[in-house]
Structure formats: structure tokens, C-alpha cells
């Protein structure tokens, strides 16, 4: 419990708010079917909305845990949509500064969702990112790699939400600075095989072929070793499509005369 919440406990109405949240959260413990979860989320939403004047949401750790559980891929889209309603209510209440502070608390459930989400859920999730995450600007950086790993699956060729996802990523890059964005992108490509193809494809799409790499070094990010490791791992990926895209990236972007990527070729030779 933080200092702000402790101070609010002197307010009897806030104490009633805490008690109401406690009571509602117990409904999740007794939920045995997905319909029970929707009912529990509806009750939680009502309590939150009735106390929206308080920007400090009580029991936020437990709420974050329950919301993440409600976004489990095995649950139906109706539960996912209801949980996203709860996220939006909370984000409206707490505002951007508190969201930035509690980014990991609420993002742990959201970031893995897009790759498993139903078509009816995807636009709602993207809307949350556009409305509440983008305005965070540079304060997104601590959770940037997680965000990119969560959003990149939306760049599936032919997908209904391809353009919207691409635009979102471009805006994120502008919000956090290009170098930080690409560092996080290479981190995602390195650690998450499932996003290697859309990640490398994004880099290829956004390179200016009329400029030399020296004129767009931000694409390498702020950690050259991380980029080298990501490219090296991708070119050895089990997917032929990932291998081809990575080789295209190497051929177009990293010519042999570039001093910045000598280590890349040394790694392949070794």
C-alpha cells in the first residue's frame, strides 16, 4: 500500500470503496464458468465507475492479476472483451502518470493477448494501445519490448488490422525515439521467435533504400551487439521465411564496407 492510498484511508467513503472492491474480488475466487467471470467483471466495473472520483484504485495488484487471468487464451472472446472494458475504466480513472508508474501491473495481461485474440477483440485491444499507451511517450520505454512483442503479431500479411498495427508501431517509434524503438524491436526479435518474421519485415518496410545505412543508423538501435545477436539468431531460425527476410535485410542494409557491422559478418564466418 503506497503513501497516497494510506492517506486516503482516512476518508470513510474511500474505506467503503476498498471494502466494495474486496467483496467483488471474492466473486472471482468462486467463478467456475466463463459466465461467472463476465458477471464478476461487470460487478467490478460498476464499483470502479461509482468511485471514479478516486484516482487511486485499491487492491490494484489483485485486480491486475484477475484481469490477466481473464485474458487467458482458453477463455472465450466475451470474457476478453469484458476484461478490456475493465482495463479502459481503470485507465480513464488513474490517468497517464499513474498508468506509466503501474505499466507492468496492467500490461502483463494485455501484451500476450493480440496473438490469440478473436477478430472482435483485436480492434478493442489496439484501441487501448492507441488511446492510453501512445500518450505515455518516453515513459513507455521500460515496457517497450513487451509492447512490441505483443503488437507485432498484428503485422500478419493480409490481416484486416495490418495497416492499423503498422501505424500504431510507427507512432510508438515517434513517441519513444527511433533508436530506443529499434533497440526494443531487436530485443523482441532475439527473444521471441514468433515475432521474428513481422519484426524483420517491419525493419525492411521502413528502411529508406535511397539513403545509406550511415544516414539511418537509428535502425541498429543503441546496442549494436543486441542487433548483431538478433540478426544472427534470425538467419538461423527454423522458418525459411524468417531466414529469407533476414538475408534480405543483410544484403540491403549491411554491406561489407560498413564498419558498424563487421562483427555481424565475423559472427557468421565463425
Amino acid at each position: 500500500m503506497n503513501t497516497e492510498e494510506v492517506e486516503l484511508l482516512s476518508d470513510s467513503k474511500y474505506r467503503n470503496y476498498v471494502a466494495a472492491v474486496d467483496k467483488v474480488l471474492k466473486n472471482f475466487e468462486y467463478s467456475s464458468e466463463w459466465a461467472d467471470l463476465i458477471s464478476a467483471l461487470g460487478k467490478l466495473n460498476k464499483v470502479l465507475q461509482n468511485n471514479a472520483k478516486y484516482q487511486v484504485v485499491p487492491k490494484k495488484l489483485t485486480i491486475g492479476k484477475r484481469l490477466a487471468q481473464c485474458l487467458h487464451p482458453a477463455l472465450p472472446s466475451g470474457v476478453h472483451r469484458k476484461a478490456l472494458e475493465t482495463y479502459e475504466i481503470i485507465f480513464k480513472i488513474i490517468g497517464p502518470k499513474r498508468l506509466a508508474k503501474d505499466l507492468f501491473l496492467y500490461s502483463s495481461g494485455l501484451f500476450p493477448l493480440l496473438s490469440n485474440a478473436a477478430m472482435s477483440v483485436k480492434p478493442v485491444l489496439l484501441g487501448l494501445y492507441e488511446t492510453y499507451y501512445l500518450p505515455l511517450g518516453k515513459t513507455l520505454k521500460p515496457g517497450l519490448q513487451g509492447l512490441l512483442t505483443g503488437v507485432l503479431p498484428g503485422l500478419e500479411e493480409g490481416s484486416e488490422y495490418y495497416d492499423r498495427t503498422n501505424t500504431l508501431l510507427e507512432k510508438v517509434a515517434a513517441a519513444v525515439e527511433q533508436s530506443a524503438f529499434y533497440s526494443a524491436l531487436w530485443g523482441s526479435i532475439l527473444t521471441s521467435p514468433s515475432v521474428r518474421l513481422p519484426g524483420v519485415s517491419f525493419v525492411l518496410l521502413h528502411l529508406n533504400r535511397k539513403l545509406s545505412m550511415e544516414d539511418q543508423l537509428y535502425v541498429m538501435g543503441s546496442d549494436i551487439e543486441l542487433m548483431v545477436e538478433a540478426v544472427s539468431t534470425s538467419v538461423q531460425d527454423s522458418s525459411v521465411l524468417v531466414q529469407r527476410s533476414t538475408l534480405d535485410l543483410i544484403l540491403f542494409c549491411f554491406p561489407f564496407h560498413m564498419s558498424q557491422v563487421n562483427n555481424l559478418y565475423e559472427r557468421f564466418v565463425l
Side-chain angles (χ1 to χ4, degrees):
M1 189 177 294
N2 59 37
T3 305
E4 198 172 20
E5 192 170 351
V6 170
E7 292 176 353
L8 280 170
L9 288 175
S10 61
D11 182 344
S12 61
K13 291 183 179 180
Y14 186 78
R15 291 199 301 272
N16 290 337
Y17 179 22
V18 175
V21 169
D22 254 334
K23 181 179 179 181
V24 167
L25 288 174
K26 290 190 182 300
N27 291 314
F28 289 91
E29 298 176 16
Y30 306 122
S31 297
S32 58
E33 298 180 359
W34 62 264
D36 297 330
L37 290 174
I38 291 179
S39 175
L41 287 166
K43 292 175 181 177
L44 176 58
N45 291 352
K46 186 175 180 180
V47 171
L48 292 170
Q49 289 171 323
N50 288 342
N51 295 275
K53 67 177 182 179
Y54 296 108
Q55 289 188 303
V56 178
V57 174
K59 307 294 179 180
K60 61 184 180 181
L61 288 173
T62 305
I63 290 176
K65 177 182 176 181
R66 294 305 184 193
L67 289 177
Q69 291 172 337
C70 288
L71 294 182
H72 191 282
L75 291 170
S77 60
V79 178
H80 293 169
R81 288 196 302 272
K82 198 66 178 179
L84 292 180
E85 286 180 21
T86 309
Y87 277 107
E88 180 158 30
I89 290 169
I90 291 173
F91 293 166
K92 284 180 178 178
I93 290 172
I94 66 177
K97 288 185 178 180
R98 287 183 175 82
L99 176 55
K101 184 179 179 181
D102 294 329
L103 193 62
F104 290 104
L105 174 63
Y106 296 113
S107 299
S108 61
L110 289 174
F111 287 168
L113 179 59
L114 188 63
S115 59
N116 300 301
M119 292 301 289
S120 61
V121 174
K122 289 181 179 181
V124 182
L125 177 59
L126 292 173
L128 285 181
Y129 291 146
E130 292 161 348
T131 305
Y132 300 102
Y133 277 64
L134 270 178
L136 298 183
K138 294 180 181 179
T139 59
L140 265 177
K141 287 183 180 180
L144 186 55
Q145 185 172 322
L147 175 63
L148 297 188
T149 303
V151 172
L152 281 168
L155 282 183
E156 182 181 355
E157 289 289 345
S159 165
E160 181 179 347
Y161 299 104
Y162 179 92
D163 290 338
R164 186 173 177 181
T165 303
N166 182 63
T167 299
L168 172 61
L169 289 169
E170 290 174 343
K171 289 181 178 179
V172 170
V176 300
E177 295 179 344
Q178 298 277 13
S179 181
F181 175 87
Y182 279 96
S183 290
L185 181 60
W186 291 121
S188 294
I189 291 171
L190 174 62
T191 58
S192 302
S194 63
V195 302
R196 282 179 188 153
L197 182 58
V200 174
S201 298
F202 181 88
V203 177
L204 285 169
L205 179 64
H206 292 83
L207 281 167
N208 188 333
R209 304 301 176 90
K210 296 180 181 180
L211 298 176
S212 67
M213 277 305 296
E214 283 85 353
D215 293 325
Q216 44 189 337
L217 288 177
Y218 59 83
V219 171
M220 296 186 185
S222 57
D223 186 342
I224 297 297
E225 290 185 4
L226 173 64
M227 181 274 297
V228 169
E229 187 72 20
V231 173
S232 175
T233 302
S234 295
V235 84
Q236 300 174 69
D237 191 89
S238 59
S239 167
V240 175
L241 288 176
V242 174
Q243 293 176 14
R244 287 177 178 174
S245 295
T246 307
L247 288 172
D248 285 344
L249 182 70
I250 294 169
L251 289 171
F252 281 106
C253 309
F254 306 129
F256 280 100
H257 68 270
M258 277 194 69
S259 61
Q260 290 88 349
V261 290
N262 283 338
N263 288 337
L264 181 61
Y265 293 103
E266 290 173 6
R267 192 178 191 89
F268 290 148
V269 171
L270 293 174

